[in-house]
Amino acid sequence: MVSGAVVHFKEGLLGAGAPFRADLNLVVQLVMGSVLIAGAYLARRKRYKAHGICQTTVLLLNLLMIGLVMGPSFQEQVKPALSRVLHKWYYEAAAIHAALGITAELLGLYIVIVAGTDVLPEWLRFKHWKWWMRTELVLWAIVLLSGVGTYCAWYVAPFR
Ligand code: HEM
């Protein structure tokens, strides 16, 4: 399939005709989503150190996926079209997903900095830990769903 400047060959993992990097990202993101849920369960069991390591690892690994796969894809495929009117699902889905994704990633970094370090002054530190972490988990789930939506809009025949 030819979309924008990039040609996708049938070389992926899942047989949808998506490129390898997109299939790999999809699988990694679904695994990371499950790890985050397992990490939330660790907090419920009061295993806070293991919880912190688990959630921070996913957050940082996701920075890598953004830097290697999603960021470059966004630059190449979506950004050039954003100056024109958003009219196709292809661009809309990815733009909504990217905006939510950046918010989730920044919020996650803020939570990790407050929870794991003392670098921020008192007035910038939140007190209601559960509220912030639950909000982040819900936002992450929405971003994951919008990522699956982007995958469908880009590669799965009935949605394209
Ligand atoms: C919590 C953070 C995020 C999660 C959980 C997430 C999840 C996903 C998932 C599951 C996909 C489908 C697999 C694929 O098509 O590659 C995807 C695709 C994509 N995401 Fe994200 N994402 C996040 C953050 C971001 C950010 C910050 C950006 C913008 C820079 C972004 C831009 C994209 C783009 C452009 C695609 C299509 C990539 C392609 O198929 O070539 N995502 N994302």
Side-chain angles (χ1 to χ4, degrees), residues 97 132 143 156:
H97 168 71
W132 282 85
V143 177
V156 180

Side-chain angles (χ1 to χ4, degrees), residues 14-58:
L14 305 174
F20 177 79
R21 57 157 211 282
D23 283 350
L24 181 70
N25 188 36
L26 181 63
V27 172
V28 169
Q29 293 294 347
L30 292 173
V31 171
M32 290 200 302
S34 314
V35 173
L36 284 179
I37 292 171
Y41 182 71
L42 285 172
R44 272 194 84 122
R45 304 286 309 270
K46 304 207 185 317
R47 298 185 54 195
Y48 296 118
K49 190 164 182 206
H51 164 73
I53 292 172
C54 195
Q55 312 308 66
T56 306
T57 306
V58 169

Side-chain angles (χ1 to χ4, degrees), residues 17-133:
F20 177 79
R21 57 157 211 282
D23 283 350
L24 181 70
N25 188 36
L26 181 63
V27 172
V28 169
Q29 293 294 347
L30 292 173
V31 171
M32 290 200 302
S34 314
V35 173
L36 284 179
I37 292 171
Y41 182 71
L42 285 172
R44 272 194 84 122
R45 304 286 309 270
K46 304 207 185 317
R47 298 185 54 195
Y48 296 118
K49 190 164 182 206
H51 164 73
I53 292 172
C54 195
Q55 312 308 66
T56 306
T57 306
V58 169
L59 189 79
L60 297 182
L61 178 59
N62 198 41
L63 272 182
L64 203 69
M65 297 311 283
I66 292 172
L68 290 180
V69 180
M70 297 185 285
S73 245
F74 189 83
Q75 287 282 344
E76 236 174 84
Q77 306 274 86
V78 184
K79 230 176 144 196
L82 285 183
S83 48
R84 289 179 246 131
V85 180
L86 292 181
H87 62 287
K88 270 185 74 182
W89 257 124
Y90 188 95
Y91 303 111
E92 280 172 352
I96 293 168
H97 168 71
L100 290 171
I102 287 168
T103 310
E105 199 60 43
L106 290 177
L107 184 63
L109 287 172
Y110 171 61
I111 291 174
V112 166
I113 288 170
V114 171
T117 74
D118 290 325
V119 296
L120 290 179
E122 202 54 36
W123 65 275
L124 275 177
R125 301 175 66 88
F126 53 78
K127 307 277 178 308
H128 302 97
W129 290 45
K130 269 191 189 167
W131 188 90
W132 282 85
M133 292 191 188

